PDB file of all heavy atoms in Angstrom:
ATOM      1  N   ASN L   1       0.780  -1.197   0.005  1.00 92.00           N
ATOM      2  CA  ASN L   1      -0.019  -0.022  -0.032  1.00 92.00           C
ATOM      3  C   ASN L   1       0.819   1.290   0.015  1.00 92.00           C
ATOM      4  O   ASN L   1       0.338   2.404  -0.373  1.00 92.00           O
ATOM      5  CB  ASN L   1      -0.988   0.002   1.211  1.00 92.00           C
ATOM      6  CG  ASN L   1      -2.063  -0.961   1.036  1.00 92.00           C
ATOM      7  OD1 ASN L   1      -2.538  -1.216  -0.079  1.00 92.00           O
ATOM      8  ND2 ASN L   1      -2.529  -1.576   2.129  1.00 92.00           N
ATOM      9  N   ARG L   2       2.144   1.110   0.330  1.00 94.00           N
ATOM     10  CA  ARG L   2       2.970   2.346   0.378  1.00 94.00           C
ATOM     11  C   ARG L   2       3.357   2.818  -1.014  1.00 94.00           C
ATOM     12  O   ARG L   2       3.872   3.882  -1.190  1.00 94.00           O
ATOM     13  CB  ARG L   2       4.212   2.152   1.241  1.00 94.00           C
ATOM     14  CG  ARG L   2       3.857   1.998   2.717  1.00 94.00           C
ATOM     15  CD  ARG L   2       2.935   3.144   3.279  1.00 94.00           C
ATOM     16  NE  ARG L   2       3.479   4.519   3.008  1.00 94.00           N
ATOM     17  CZ  ARG L   2       4.365   5.121   3.766  1.00 94.00           C
ATOM     18  NH1 ARG L   2       4.827   4.633   4.875  1.00 94.00           N
ATOM     19  NH2 ARG L   2       4.691   6.386   3.405  1.00 94.00           N
ATOM     20  N   TYR L   3       3.089   1.969  -2.021  1.00 95.00           N
ATOM     21  CA  TYR L   3       3.261   2.383  -3.431  1.00 95.00           C
ATOM     22  C   TYR L   3       1.944   2.674  -4.047  1.00 95.00           C
ATOM     23  O   TYR L   3       1.801   2.571  -5.282  1.00 95.00           O
ATOM     24  CB  TYR L   3       4.023   1.290  -4.237  1.00 95.00           C
ATOM     25  CG  TYR L   3       4.588   1.775  -5.525  1.00 95.00           C
ATOM     26  CD1 TYR L   3       5.464   2.825  -5.505  1.00 95.00           C
ATOM     27  CD2 TYR L   3       4.262   1.136  -6.716  1.00 95.00           C
ATOM     28  CE1 TYR L   3       6.030   3.265  -6.729  1.00 95.00           C
ATOM     29  CE2 TYR L   3       4.847   1.559  -7.935  1.00 95.00           C
ATOM     30  CZ  TYR L   3       5.715   2.608  -7.950  1.00 95.00           C
ATOM     31  OH  TYR L   3       6.258   3.096  -9.117  1.00 95.00           O
ATOM     32  N   GLN L   4       0.925   3.001  -3.196  1.00 97.00           N
ATOM     33  CA  GLN L   4      -0.388   3.503  -3.672  1.00 97.00           C
ATOM     34  C   GLN L   4      -0.671   4.801  -2.982  1.00 97.00           C
ATOM     35  O   GLN L   4      -0.264   4.992  -1.803  1.00 97.00           O
ATOM     36  CB  GLN L   4      -1.484   2.457  -3.280  1.00 97.00           C
ATOM     37  CG  GLN L   4      -1.329   1.095  -3.803  1.00 97.00           C
ATOM     38  CD  GLN L   4      -1.864   0.932  -5.282  1.00 97.00           C
ATOM     39  OE1 GLN L   4      -1.919   1.905  -5.988  1.00 97.00           O
ATOM     40  NE2 GLN L   4      -2.091  -0.286  -5.637  1.00 97.00           N
ATOM     41  N   THR L   5      -1.409   5.694  -3.636  1.00 98.00           N
ATOM     42  CA  THR L   5      -1.931   6.870  -2.948  1.00 98.00           C
ATOM     43  C   THR L   5      -3.022   6.412  -2.017  1.00 98.00           C
ATOM     44  O   THR L   5      -3.639   5.327  -2.269  1.00 98.00           O
ATOM     45  CB  THR L   5      -2.460   7.895  -3.977  1.00 98.00           C
ATOM     46  OG1 THR L   5      -3.537   7.339  -4.683  1.00 98.00           O
ATOM     47  CG2 THR L   5      -1.339   8.323  -4.915  1.00 98.00           C
ATOM     48  N   VAL L   6      -3.377   7.257  -1.065  1.00 98.00           N
ATOM     49  CA  VAL L   6      -4.441   6.857  -0.161  1.00 98.00           C
ATOM     50  C   VAL L   6      -5.788   6.949  -0.839  1.00 98.00           C
ATOM     51  O   VAL L   6      -6.829   6.428  -0.326  1.00 98.00           O
ATOM     52  CB  VAL L   6      -4.457   7.771   1.133  1.00 98.00           C
ATOM     53  CG1 VAL L   6      -3.213   7.513   1.947  1.00 98.00           C
ATOM     54  CG2 VAL L   6      -4.643   9.211   0.826  1.00 98.00           C
ATOM     55  N   TYR L   7      -5.847   7.602  -1.998  1.00 98.00           N
ATOM     56  CA  TYR L   7      -7.041   7.722  -2.767  1.00 98.00           C
ATOM     57  C   TYR L   7      -7.104   6.915  -4.052  1.00 98.00           C
ATOM     58  O   TYR L   7      -7.991   7.095  -4.873  1.00 98.00           O
ATOM     59  CB  TYR L   7      -7.350   9.241  -3.058  1.00 98.00           C
ATOM     60  CG  TYR L   7      -6.159   9.974  -3.648  1.00 98.00           C
ATOM     61  CD1 TYR L   7      -5.704   9.758  -4.956  1.00 98.00           C
ATOM     62  CD2 TYR L   7      -5.396  10.882  -2.874  1.00 98.00           C
ATOM     63  CE1 TYR L   7      -4.632  10.500  -5.495  1.00 98.00           C
ATOM     64  CE2 TYR L   7      -4.325  11.550  -3.356  1.00 98.00           C
ATOM     65  CZ  TYR L   7      -3.913  11.365  -4.641  1.00 98.00           C
ATOM     66  OH  TYR L   7      -2.876  12.010  -5.185  1.00 98.00           O
ATOM     67  N   ALA L   8      -6.203   5.942  -4.119  1.00 97.00           N
ATOM     68  CA  ALA L   8      -6.150   5.067  -5.334  1.00 97.00           C
ATOM     69  C   ALA L   8      -7.477   4.283  -5.445  1.00 97.00           C
ATOM     70  O   ALA L   8      -7.914   3.730  -4.480  1.00 97.00           O
ATOM     71  CB  ALA L   8      -4.930   4.102  -5.239  1.00 97.00           C
ATOM     72  N   LYS L   9      -8.009   4.297  -6.654  1.00 96.00           N
ATOM     73  CA  LYS L   9      -9.378   3.693  -6.797  1.00 96.00           C
ATOM     74  C   LYS L   9      -9.548   2.919  -8.080  1.00 96.00           C
ATOM     75  O   LYS L   9     -10.095   1.819  -8.087  1.00 96.00           O
ATOM     76  CB  LYS L   9     -10.398   4.843  -6.793  1.00 96.00           C
ATOM     77  CG  LYS L   9     -11.821   4.374  -6.964  1.00 96.00           C
ATOM     78  CD  LYS L   9     -12.735   5.605  -6.898  1.00 96.00           C
ATOM     79  CE  LYS L   9     -14.198   5.263  -7.180  1.00 96.00           C
ATOM     80  NZ  LYS L   9     -15.078   6.444  -7.218  1.00 96.00           N
ATOM     81  N   ASN L  10      -9.043   3.400  -9.226  1.00 95.00           N
ATOM     82  CA  ASN L  10      -9.278   2.840 -10.489  1.00 95.00           C
ATOM     83  C   ASN L  10      -8.101   2.037 -10.975  1.00 95.00           C
ATOM     84  O   ASN L  10      -7.013   2.574 -11.326  1.00 95.00           O
ATOM     85  CB  ASN L  10      -9.620   3.939 -11.506  1.00 95.00           C
ATOM     86  CG  ASN L  10     -10.851   4.692 -11.064  1.00 95.00           C
ATOM     87  OD1 ASN L  10     -11.789   4.160 -10.585  1.00 95.00           O
ATOM     88  ND2 ASN L  10     -10.749   6.029 -11.168  1.00 95.00           N
ATOM     89  N   THR L  11      -8.189   0.709 -10.979  1.00 91.00           N
ATOM     90  CA  THR L  11      -7.038  -0.160 -11.249  1.00 91.00           C
ATOM     91  C   THR L  11      -6.548  -0.060 -12.683  1.00 91.00           C
ATOM     92  O   THR L  11      -7.328  -0.051 -13.608  1.00 91.00           O
ATOM     93  CB  THR L  11      -7.452  -1.611 -10.935  1.00 91.00           C
ATOM     94  OG1 THR L  11      -7.828  -1.713  -9.568  1.00 91.00           O
ATOM     95  CG2 THR L  11      -6.313  -2.540 -11.135  1.00 91.00           C
ATOM     96  N   GLY L  12      -5.219  -0.006 -12.888  1.00 90.00           N
ATOM     97  CA  GLY L  12      -4.711   0.010 -14.250  1.00 90.00           C
ATOM     98  C   GLY L  12      -3.312   0.505 -14.433  1.00 90.00           C
ATOM     99  O   GLY L  12      -2.798   0.493 -15.570  1.00 90.00           O
ATOM    100  N   SER L  13      -2.645   1.054 -13.410  1.00 91.00           N
ATOM    101  CA  SER L  13      -1.327   1.667 -13.584  1.00 91.00           C
ATOM    102  C   SER L  13      -0.187   0.647 -13.408  1.00 91.00           C
ATOM    103  O   SER L  13      -0.334  -0.244 -12.625  1.00 91.00           O
ATOM    104  CB  SER L  13      -1.102   2.778 -12.599  1.00 91.00           C
ATOM    105  OG  SER L  13      -1.471   4.033 -13.180  1.00 91.00           O
ATOM    106  N   ALA L  14       0.868   0.891 -14.252  1.00 88.00           N
ATOM    107  CA  ALA L  14       2.107   0.093 -14.086  1.00 88.00           C
ATOM    108  C   ALA L  14       3.093   0.751 -13.187  1.00 88.00           C
ATOM    109  O   ALA L  14       4.143   0.282 -12.827  1.00 88.00           O
ATOM    110  CB  ALA L  14       2.769  -0.157 -15.439  1.00 88.00           C
ATOM    111  N   ALA L  15       2.742   2.005 -12.759  1.00 90.00           N
ATOM    112  CA  ALA L  15       3.632   2.798 -11.816  1.00 90.00           C
ATOM    113  C   ALA L  15       2.737   3.749 -11.066  1.00 90.00           C
ATOM    114  O   ALA L  15       1.640   4.138 -11.567  1.00 90.00           O
ATOM    115  CB  ALA L  15       4.751   3.484 -12.569  1.00 90.00           C
ATOM    116  N   ALA L  16       3.207   4.134  -9.882  1.00 93.00           N
ATOM    117  CA  ALA L  16       2.426   5.094  -9.024  1.00 93.00           C
ATOM    118  C   ALA L  16       2.508   6.448  -9.461  1.00 93.00           C
ATOM    119  O   ALA L  16       3.606   6.892 -10.024  1.00 93.00           O
ATOM    120  CB  ALA L  16       2.830   4.936  -7.602  1.00 93.00           C
ATOM    121  N   PRO L  17       1.451   7.294  -9.389  1.00 96.00           N
ATOM    122  CA  PRO L  17       1.588   8.781  -9.572  1.00 96.00           C
ATOM    123  C   PRO L  17       2.219   9.282  -8.283  1.00 96.00           C
ATOM    124  O   PRO L  17       1.526   9.667  -7.392  1.00 96.00           O
ATOM    125  CB  PRO L  17       0.125   9.207  -9.793  1.00 96.00           C
ATOM    126  CG  PRO L  17      -0.669   8.229  -9.022  1.00 96.00           C
ATOM    127  CD  PRO L  17       0.113   6.927  -9.045  1.00 96.00           C
ATOM    128  N   THR L  18       3.540   9.384  -8.258  1.00 96.00           N
ATOM    129  CA  THR L  18       4.238   9.577  -6.995  1.00 96.00           C
ATOM    130  C   THR L  18       4.054  10.858  -6.187  1.00 96.00           C
ATOM    131  O   THR L  18       4.257  10.830  -4.979  1.00 96.00           O
ATOM    132  CB  THR L  18       5.767   9.266  -7.215  1.00 96.00           C
ATOM    133  OG1 THR L  18       6.248  10.212  -8.211  1.00 96.00           O
ATOM    134  CG2 THR L  18       5.982   7.894  -7.684  1.00 96.00           C
ATOM    135  N   ALA L  19       3.680  11.921  -6.903  1.00 98.00           N
ATOM    136  CA  ALA L  19       3.428  13.142  -6.153  1.00 98.00           C
ATOM    137  C   ALA L  19       2.260  12.988  -5.178  1.00 98.00           C
ATOM    138  O   ALA L  19       2.230  13.618  -4.103  1.00 98.00           O
ATOM    139  CB  ALA L  19       3.070  14.327  -7.139  1.00 98.00           C
ATOM    140  N   GLY L  20       1.344  12.043  -5.470  1.00 98.00           N
ATOM    141  CA  GLY L  20       0.270  11.856  -4.621  1.00 98.00           C
ATOM    142  C   GLY L  20       0.541  10.969  -3.394  1.00 98.00           C
ATOM    143  O   GLY L  20      -0.217  10.906  -2.423  1.00 98.00           O
ATOM    144  N   LEU L  21       1.698  10.373  -3.359  1.00 98.00           N
ATOM    145  CA  LEU L  21       2.078   9.531  -2.253  1.00 98.00           C
ATOM    146  C   LEU L  21       2.232  10.241  -0.936  1.00 98.00           C
ATOM    147  O   LEU L  21       2.223   9.639   0.132  1.00 98.00           O
ATOM    148  CB  LEU L  21       3.386   8.688  -2.561  1.00 98.00           C
ATOM    149  CG  LEU L  21       3.300   7.711  -3.720  1.00 98.00           C
ATOM    150  CD1 LEU L  21       4.693   7.057  -3.895  1.00 98.00           C
ATOM    151  CD2 LEU L  21       2.238   6.658  -3.433  1.00 98.00           C
ATOM    152  N   HIS L  22       2.393  11.583  -1.010  1.00 98.00           N
ATOM    153  CA  HIS L  22       2.671  12.360   0.201  1.00 98.00           C
ATOM    154  C   HIS L  22       1.369  12.747   0.987  1.00 98.00           C
ATOM    155  O   HIS L  22       1.387  13.164   2.147  1.00 98.00           O
ATOM    156  CB  HIS L  22       3.362  13.670  -0.213  1.00 98.00           C
ATOM    157  CG  HIS L  22       4.623  13.496  -0.998  1.00 98.00           C
ATOM    158  ND1 HIS L  22       5.757  13.135  -0.343  1.00 98.00           N
ATOM    159  CD2 HIS L  22       4.855  13.597  -2.300  1.00 98.00           C
ATOM    160  CE1 HIS L  22       6.756  13.018  -1.284  1.00 98.00           C
ATOM    161  NE2 HIS L  22       6.168  13.336  -2.500  1.00 98.00           N
ATOM    162  N   PHE L  23       0.246  12.590   0.293  1.00 98.00           N
ATOM    163  CA  PHE L  23      -1.001  12.967   1.002  1.00 98.00           C
ATOM    164  C   PHE L  23      -1.501  11.873   1.941  1.00 98.00           C
ATOM    165  O   PHE L  23      -1.425  10.680   1.664  1.00 98.00           O
ATOM    166  CB  PHE L  23      -2.114  13.204  -0.095  1.00 98.00           C
ATOM    167  CG  PHE L  23      -1.925  14.467  -0.829  1.00 98.00           C
ATOM    168  CD1 PHE L  23      -1.216  14.514  -2.049  1.00 98.00           C
ATOM    169  CD2 PHE L  23      -2.383  15.691  -0.359  1.00 98.00           C
ATOM    170  CE1 PHE L  23      -1.011  15.657  -2.716  1.00 98.00           C
ATOM    171  CE2 PHE L  23      -2.198  16.876  -1.067  1.00 98.00           C
ATOM    172  CZ  PHE L  23      -1.522  16.847  -2.231  1.00 98.00           C
ATOM    173  N   THR L  24      -2.022  12.267   3.068  1.00 98.00           N
ATOM    174  CA  THR L  24      -2.723  11.435   4.001  1.00 98.00           C
ATOM    175  C   THR L  24      -4.219  11.784   3.994  1.00 98.00           C
ATOM    176  O   THR L  24      -4.571  12.844   3.540  1.00 98.00           O
ATOM    177  CB  THR L  24      -2.259  11.606   5.474  1.00 98.00           C
ATOM    178  OG1 THR L  24      -2.496  12.950   5.855  1.00 98.00           O
ATOM    179  CG2 THR L  24      -0.715  11.466   5.508  1.00 98.00           C
ATOM    180  N   GLU L  25      -5.011  10.888   4.509  1.00 98.00           N
ATOM    181  CA  GLU L  25      -6.455  11.171   4.537  1.00 98.00           C
ATOM    182  C   GLU L  25      -6.734  12.428   5.438  1.00 98.00           C
ATOM    183  O   GLU L  25      -7.606  13.178   5.092  1.00 98.00           O
ATOM    184  CB  GLU L  25      -7.223   9.942   5.105  1.00 98.00           C
ATOM    185  CG  GLU L  25      -7.162   8.782   4.088  1.00 98.00           C
ATOM    186  CD  GLU L  25      -7.877   7.565   4.640  1.00 98.00           C
ATOM    187  OE1 GLU L  25      -8.214   7.492   5.807  1.00 98.00           O
ATOM    188  OE2 GLU L  25      -7.956   6.588   3.800  1.00 98.00           O
ATOM    189  N   GLU L  26      -5.922  12.523   6.543  1.00 98.00           N
ATOM    190  CA  GLU L  26      -6.157  13.696   7.403  1.00 98.00           C
ATOM    191  C   GLU L  26      -5.807  14.966   6.724  1.00 98.00           C
ATOM    192  O   GLU L  26      -6.497  15.983   6.823  1.00 98.00           O
ATOM    193  CB  GLU L  26      -5.241  13.524   8.649  1.00 98.00           C
ATOM    194  CG  GLU L  26      -5.620  12.350   9.565  1.00 98.00           C
ATOM    195  CD  GLU L  26      -5.088  11.009   9.109  1.00 98.00           C
ATOM    196  OE1 GLU L  26      -4.315  10.995   8.155  1.00 98.00           O
ATOM    197  OE2 GLU L  26      -5.532   9.999   9.619  1.00 98.00           O
ATOM    198  N   LEU L  27      -4.702  15.017   5.928  1.00 98.00           N
ATOM    199  CA  LEU L  27      -4.346  16.199   5.214  1.00 98.00           C
ATOM    200  C   LEU L  27      -5.396  16.568   4.177  1.00 98.00           C
ATOM    201  O   LEU L  27      -5.710  17.746   4.020  1.00 98.00           O
ATOM    202  CB  LEU L  27      -2.976  16.066   4.594  1.00 98.00           C
ATOM    203  CG  LEU L  27      -2.388  17.154   3.746  1.00 98.00           C
ATOM    204  CD1 LEU L  27      -2.275  18.463   4.628  1.00 98.00           C
ATOM    205  CD2 LEU L  27      -1.026  16.841   3.162  1.00 98.00           C
ATOM    206  N   LEU L  28      -5.903  15.595   3.424  1.00 98.00           N
ATOM    207  CA  LEU L  28      -6.903  15.852   2.479  1.00 98.00           C
ATOM    208  C   LEU L  28      -8.241  16.419   3.106  1.00 98.00           C
ATOM    209  O   LEU L  28      -8.797  17.320   2.566  1.00 98.00           O
ATOM    210  CB  LEU L  28      -7.246  14.573   1.708  1.00 98.00           C
ATOM    211  CG  LEU L  28      -6.204  14.126   0.685  1.00 98.00           C
ATOM    212  CD1 LEU L  28      -6.560  12.681   0.238  1.00 98.00           C
ATOM    213  CD2 LEU L  28      -6.099  15.010  -0.555  1.00 98.00           C
ATOM    214  N   LYS L  29      -8.510  15.931   4.299  1.00 98.00           N
ATOM    215  CA  LYS L  29      -9.695  16.433   5.019  1.00 98.00           C
ATOM    216  C   LYS L  29      -9.497  17.915   5.391  1.00 98.00           C
ATOM    217  O   LYS L  29     -10.334  18.762   5.252  1.00 98.00           O
ATOM    218  CB  LYS L  29      -9.892  15.615   6.300  1.00 98.00           C
ATOM    219  CG  LYS L  29     -11.175  16.017   7.036  1.00 98.00           C
ATOM    220  CD  LYS L  29     -11.380  15.115   8.275  1.00 98.00           C
ATOM    221  CE  LYS L  29     -12.695  15.525   9.029  1.00 98.00           C
ATOM    222  NZ  LYS L  29     -12.866  14.688  10.254  1.00 98.00           N
ATOM    223  N   LYS L  30      -8.241  18.253   5.857  1.00 98.00           N
ATOM    224  CA  LYS L  30      -7.937  19.679   6.226  1.00 98.00           C
ATOM    225  C   LYS L  30      -8.003  20.585   4.968  1.00 98.00           C
ATOM    226  O   LYS L  30      -8.492  21.684   5.053  1.00 98.00           O
ATOM    227  CB  LYS L  30      -6.552  19.728   6.892  1.00 98.00           C
ATOM    228  CG  LYS L  30      -6.460  19.105   8.271  1.00 98.00           C
ATOM    229  CD  LYS L  30      -5.067  19.237   8.778  1.00 98.00           C
ATOM    230  CE  LYS L  30      -4.899  18.625  10.162  1.00 98.00           C
ATOM    231  NZ  LYS L  30      -3.540  18.644  10.674  1.00 98.00           N
ATOM    232  N   ILE L  31      -7.554  20.005   3.855  1.00 98.00           N
ATOM    233  CA  ILE L  31      -7.615  20.783   2.609  1.00 98.00           C
ATOM    234  C   ILE L  31      -9.053  21.165   2.243  1.00 98.00           C
ATOM    235  O   ILE L  31      -9.350  22.315   1.918  1.00 98.00           O
ATOM    236  CB  ILE L  31      -6.904  20.044   1.494  1.00 98.00           C
ATOM    237  CG1 ILE L  31      -5.362  20.050   1.725  1.00 98.00           C
ATOM    238  CG2 ILE L  31      -7.251  20.609   0.158  1.00 98.00           C
ATOM    239  CD1 ILE L  31      -4.555  19.129   0.831  1.00 98.00           C
TER     240      ILE L  31
END
């Protein structure tokens, strides 16, 4: 799961969109 974003939903990538790996659910809620 650490090579997934916390909001990963639609299956199909051969690599992670790595900028999104920094977000937590708590940070997204604050945003």
Side-chain angles (χ1 to χ4, degrees):
N1 288 327
R2 292 310 308 272
Y3 197 57
Q4 302 278 21
T5 63
V6 296
Y7 46 76
K9 179 180 176 184
N10 303 316
T11 302
S13 268
T18 55
L21 295 178
H22 304 282
F23 287 91
T24 64
E25 291 175 355
E26 294 79 11
L27 180 57
L28 287 168
K29 184 178 179 183
K30 288 179 181 177
I31 287 170

